[in-house]
Tab-separated table of all heavy atoms in Angstrom:
chain	number	residue	atom	x	y	z
H	23	GLY	N	-22.143	-196.393	34.726
H	23	GLY	CA	-21.300	-197.379	35.400
H	23	GLY	C	-19.855	-197.311	34.949
H	23	GLY	O	-19.153	-198.313	34.963
H	33	GLY	N	-17.768	-194.492	47.174
H	33	GLY	CA	-17.978	-193.387	48.115
H	33	GLY	C	-19.291	-193.528	48.876
H	33	GLY	O	-19.344	-193.334	50.099
H	107	GLU	N	-3.805	-198.032	44.293
H	107	GLU	CA	-2.716	-198.990	44.527
H	107	GLU	C	-3.106	-200.034	45.568
H	107	GLU	O	-2.777	-201.207	45.437
H	107	GLU	CB	-1.446	-198.240	44.953
H	107	GLU	CG	-0.869	-197.410	43.803
H	107	GLU	CD	0.645	-197.491	43.710
H	107	GLU	OE1	1.298	-197.328	44.751
H	107	GLU	OE2	1.160	-197.728	42.597
H	221	GLY	N	-24.032	-186.918	26.613
H	221	GLY	CA	-24.540	-185.794	27.410
H	221	GLY	C	-25.837	-186.090	28.136
H	221	GLY	O	-26.599	-185.187	28.438
H	223	GLY	N	-26.156	-186.992	31.140
H	223	GLY	CA	-26.076	-186.406	32.475
H	223	GLY	C	-26.519	-184.952	32.440
H	223	GLY	O	-27.322	-184.497	33.262
H	264	PHE	N	3.318	-182.961	13.352
H	264	PHE	CA	2.249	-182.697	12.402
H	264	PHE	C	2.806	-181.831	11.286
H	264	PHE	O	3.475	-180.824	11.553
H	264	PHE	CB	1.083	-181.973	13.087
H	264	PHE	CG	0.262	-182.879	13.950
H	264	PHE	CD1	0.191	-182.681	15.322
H	264	PHE	CD2	-0.440	-183.935	13.378
H	264	PHE	CE1	-0.564	-183.533	16.109
H	264	PHE	CE2	-1.196	-184.793	14.168
H	264	PHE	CZ	-1.264	-184.592	15.540
H	265	VAL	N	2.546	-182.244	10.061
H	265	VAL	CA	3.018	-181.444	8.916
H	265	VAL	C	1.843	-181.213	7.969
H	265	VAL	O	0.867	-181.969	7.969
H	265	VAL	CB	4.173	-182.145	8.159
H	265	VAL	CG1	5.386	-182.292	9.053
H	265	VAL	CG2	3.736	-183.497	7.605
H	397	ALA	N	-12.047	-190.454	39.649
H	397	ALA	CA	-11.848	-191.046	40.971
H	397	ALA	C	-12.212	-190.059	42.077
H	397	ALA	O	-13.004	-190.360	42.964
H	397	ALA	CB	-10.395	-191.514	41.115
H	419	PHE	N	-42.771	-191.758	46.667
H	419	PHE	CA	-42.562	-191.555	45.238
H	419	PHE	C	-43.801	-190.929	44.632
H	419	PHE	O	-44.927	-191.363	44.902
H	419	PHE	CB	-42.311	-192.934	44.625
H	419	PHE	CG	-41.642	-192.882	43.298
H	419	PHE	CD1	-40.375	-192.357	43.173
H	419	PHE	CD2	-42.284	-193.370	42.172
H	419	PHE	CE1	-39.743	-192.332	41.946
H	419	PHE	CE2	-41.661	-193.340	40.952
H	419	PHE	CZ	-40.384	-192.826	40.843
H	444	ASP	N	-30.143	-190.196	11.768
H	444	ASP	CA	-30.154	-189.034	10.883
H	444	ASP	C	-30.189	-187.727	11.669
H	444	ASP	O	-29.581	-186.734	11.262
H	444	ASP	CB	-31.349	-189.108	9.926
H	444	ASP	CG	-31.114	-190.125	8.827
H	444	ASP	OD1	-30.504	-191.172	9.124
H	444	ASP	OD2	-31.512	-189.867	7.680
H	451	GLU	N	-23.161	-182.472	11.631
H	451	GLU	CA	-22.877	-181.507	10.556
H	451	GLU	C	-22.923	-180.062	11.061
H	451	GLU	O	-22.297	-179.185	10.489
H	451	GLU	CB	-23.859	-181.716	9.393
H	451	GLU	CG	-23.536	-182.972	8.601
H	451	GLU	CD	-24.507	-183.242	7.450
H	451	GLU	OE1	-25.383	-182.401	7.211
H	451	GLU	OE2	-24.372	-184.317	6.822
H	461	ILE	N	-12.604	-172.262	15.002
H	461	ILE	CA	-12.399	-170.832	14.717
H	461	ILE	C	-13.791	-170.227	14.565
H	461	ILE	O	-14.354	-170.177	13.482
H	461	ILE	CB	-11.573	-170.633	13.425
H	461	ILE	CG1	-10.313	-171.504	13.449
H	461	ILE	CG2	-11.203	-169.180	13.250
H	461	ILE	CD1	-9.552	-171.525	12.123
H	481	LEU	N	-37.307	-181.353	13.081
H	481	LEU	CA	-36.863	-182.740	12.860
H	481	LEU	C	-37.019	-183.622	14.101
H	481	LEU	O	-37.650	-184.675	14.041
H	481	LEU	CB	-35.403	-182.758	12.382
H	481	LEU	CG	-35.120	-181.985	11.083
H	481	LEU	CD1	-33.642	-182.097	10.727
H	481	LEU	CD2	-35.981	-182.496	9.940
H	528	TYR	N	-13.478	-161.923	17.926
H	528	TYR	CA	-13.031	-161.387	19.222
H	528	TYR	C	-11.829	-162.200	19.669
H	528	TYR	O	-11.909	-162.985	20.607
H	528	TYR	CB	-14.150	-161.478	20.268
H	528	TYR	CG	-15.396	-160.710	19.904
H	528	TYR	CD1	-16.466	-161.345	19.261
H	528	TYR	CD2	-15.502	-159.345	20.199
H	528	TYR	CE1	-17.612	-160.646	18.909
H	528	TYR	CE2	-16.647	-158.641	19.858
H	528	TYR	CZ	-17.697	-159.305	19.218
H	528	TYR	OH	-18.821	-158.599	18.881
H	530	GLU	N	-9.111	-161.616	21.206
H	530	GLU	CA	-8.364	-161.314	22.431
H	530	GLU	C	-9.131	-161.762	23.671
H	530	GLU	O	-10.345	-161.841	23.666
H	530	GLU	CB	-8.114	-159.796	22.536
H	530	GLU	CG	-7.446	-159.166	21.336
H	530	GLU	CD	-6.043	-159.718	21.084
H	530	GLU	OE1	-5.405	-160.164	22.062
H	530	GLU	OE2	-5.610	-159.719	19.909
H	537	LEU	N	-14.169	-162.428	32.599
H	537	LEU	CA	-13.644	-163.370	33.579
H	537	LEU	C	-14.866	-163.900	34.341
H	537	LEU	O	-15.066	-163.708	35.531
H	537	LEU	CB	-12.632	-162.712	34.511
H	537	LEU	CG	-11.732	-163.706	35.268
H	537	LEU	CD1	-11.112	-164.733	34.314
H	537	LEU	CD2	-10.632	-163.007	36.019
Side-chain angles (χ1 to χ4, degrees):
Chain H
E107 291 222 312
F264 285 116
V265 296
F419 199 63
D444 285 37
E451 286 179 5
I461 311 171
L481 301 180
Y528 300 95
E530 306 297 333
L537 198 50

